[in-house]
Amino acid sequence: MPTWLFKTEPSEFPFAKLAAAAGGTMWDGVANPTALIHLRSCAVGDHVYIYHTASEKAIVGLAVVTKAAYPDPARPELNDRAEPRFAVVNLRRVMDVKAPLTLAAIKADPRSAEFDLLRQSRLSVMPVPPALAKIIDSLTGLKR
DNA sequence: GCCAACGTTGGC
DNA sequence: GCCAACGTTGGC
């Protein structure tokens, strides 16, 4: 199953604020067109690494998609059309990583050279290639 | 706080 | 439809 990486600013919406209950929490605020394309590709059951930006710059946890993309209910004026401008998904918190995986550590590993996280620093929703997901699982101590 | 690397906007 | 000017993100 596909794995994604979502970025969030920990002072705005930290990983810990994601609900661990079945329905999860709405993940909104994605405006970048490329990020929205990825967001619309998320399916229920897909796994999502949560990455904290700003001072942390590390993968801190794992979440799962509990509801696929739908129009942001807070932006009806922009979503009342065939192609909604803003999409959101629901995410449920699954588990913390055993060890946060820092951007510096990811950069230092030549196997992540093609990762969007390094190639396009402003992208907030991106796919994680399966081979890289395996590496990240091992480096963070995630058992899933 | 700075600035590179994007996106977006609006005049033409 | 182009592109200059402006705005935003996020690493440093």
Side-chain angles (χ1 to χ4, degrees):
Chain A
M1 102 189 21
T3 304
W4 308 89
L5 183 143
F6 288 14
K7 286 182 181 174
T8 182
E9 185 150 358
S11 61
E12 295 293 320
F13 193 88
F15 175 64
K17 269 181 86 174
L18 264 188
T25 305
M26 186 173 77
W27 190 275
D28 61 7
V30 177
N32 176 282
T34 306
L36 282 167
I37 288 170
H38 294 318
L39 197 70
R40 291 198 175 93
S41 302
C42 292
V44 171
D46 286 359
H47 286 170
V48 181
Y49 296 125
I50 303 300
Y51 174 92
H52 279 175
T53 60
S55 60
E56 291 189 39
K57 292 190 280 295
I59 294 173
V60 296
L62 184 72
V64 63
V65 177
T66 56
K67 186 173 180 182
Y70 57 102
D72 186 344
R75 315 291 278 274
E77 76 286 1
L78 291 162
N79 286 311
D80 183 20
R81 57 179 83 168
E83 185 66 16
R85 173 71 178 82
F86 291 104
V88 299
V89 300
N90 283 16
L91 294 185
R92 177 171 64 80
R93 179 157 46 89
V94 176
M95 64 180 102
D96 287 17
V97 297
K98 283 199 176 128
L101 180 58
T102 64
L103 180 65
I106 294 169
K107 267 189 172 170
D109 192 322
R111 295 173 295 183
S112 35
E114 304 297 311
F115 194 15
D116 285 351
L117 187 68
L118 305 184
R119 291 156 64 97
Q120 204 182 334
S121 67
R122 291 179 56 189
L123 188 61
S124 61
V125 176
M126 68 195 76
V128 183
L132 190 54
K134 273 192 168 181
I135 293 166
I136 292 174
D137 284 350
S138 130
L139 292 175
T140 53
L142 280 174
K143 295 263 197 307
R144 54 176 168 128

